[in-house]
Amino acid sequence: DSPTNTAAREVQFSLEAGGSTSVVATCPPISSADNNTWVHCTGNILLTEEHEGTDSSARLTTRVLGDDTSVVDLMDVSLNYSGGRVTQLTLEADPSSSSAGVSSECWGEGAEVLITSHTIQHESAQVAIIQSVDSNTGIITLEDTIYRPITVDDDYQTGVEVALLTRNIRLTSAEDDSED
């Protein structure tokens, strides 16, 4: 039984665990000019509390999008542990800024940040509160742990972004108002 040609169709990998299914990766279609029917594809799996305490097994499934009858052959599949929970983020310096790190005026203590999802599911986004900022190194320490974000170095297609949801604002006056 030979596999059906999957040219010009995307192949999707999903993880079924703990009663839920999450998309791990959607592989690009094979070029019609390419005689090779193999495509290289990578993805990241995020295990959360919803997976904890469930069955000790998980299932990695594949399917050709738009085609329920094709067979997908897998070759050289590997799983790598890429980290657990973290309490610090390192942000790149603003290229328009003259300082080496991040601005502690904006990224200050008590500010709320959003770490976007590395998947197409918005539930993977995380919100955290900043405990402290080292403006020289760009290291932001969070009050609570978060799942280690996927960086562009980990996967250029699904690296997360960090957004500042709140901003610390200090109001001062040049002079005190008179008692009048």
Side-chain angles (χ1 to χ4, degrees):
D1 198 359
S2 64
T4 305
N5 185 354
T6 60
R9 297 200 184 231
E10 295 177 318
V11 175
Q12 188 174 74
F13 289 82
S14 300
L15 178 71
E16 296 175 0
S20 67
T21 301
S22 51
V23 174
V24 174
T26 301
C27 303
I30 299 167
S31 166
S32 59
D34 190 359
N35 292 331
N36 184 1
T37 58
W38 292 101
V39 65
H40 180 261
C41 184
T42 61
N44 294 293
I45 300 170
L46 176 65
L47 299 176
T48 64
E49 283 94 2
E50 102 182 18
H51 298 105
E52 189 175 338
T54 60
D55 295 347
S56 60
S57 64
R59 190 168 85 154
L60 185 65
T61 60
T62 60
R63 71 183 187 104
V64 178
L65 297 180
D67 182 354
D68 293 331
T69 60
S70 290
V71 176
V72 178
D73 286 331
L74 301 177
M75 183 178 106
D76 194 22
V77 174
S78 65
L79 298 174
N80 299 311
Y81 180 74
S82 65
R85 296 175 71 83
V86 297
T87 58
Q88 292 184 325
L89 299 173
T90 303
L91 300 181
E92 294 178 5
D94 181 356
S96 64
S97 171
S98 60
S99 68
V102 295
S103 170
S104 59
E105 294 170 8
C106 294
W107 299 87
E109 181 180 330
E112 193 174 42
V113 293
L114 169 73
I115 299 89
T116 62
S117 173
H118 71 279
T119 70
I120 61 171
Q121 298 168 334
H122 70 280
E123 294 90 7
S124 298
Q126 305 175 82
V127 176
I129 296 175
I130 296 175
Q131 182 177 18
S132 65
V133 176
D134 184 332
S135 57
N136 294 320
T137 62
I139 294 177
I140 293 177
T141 302
L142 306 172
E143 287 184 359
D144 296 310
T145 60
I146 61 168
Y147 290 102
R148 180 186 172 277
I150 303 301
T151 67
V152 175
D153 291 339
D154 296 329
D155 184 345
Y156 74 94
Q157 293 180 323
T158 60
V160 303
E161 295 177 343
V162 179
L164 188 60
L165 295 179
T166 59
R167 182 175 221 170
N168 295 333
I169 299 173
R170 180 180 300 156
L171 302 174
T172 60
S173 65
E175 298 176 20
D176 287 334
D177 289 339
S178 64
E179 297 285 329
D180 297 340

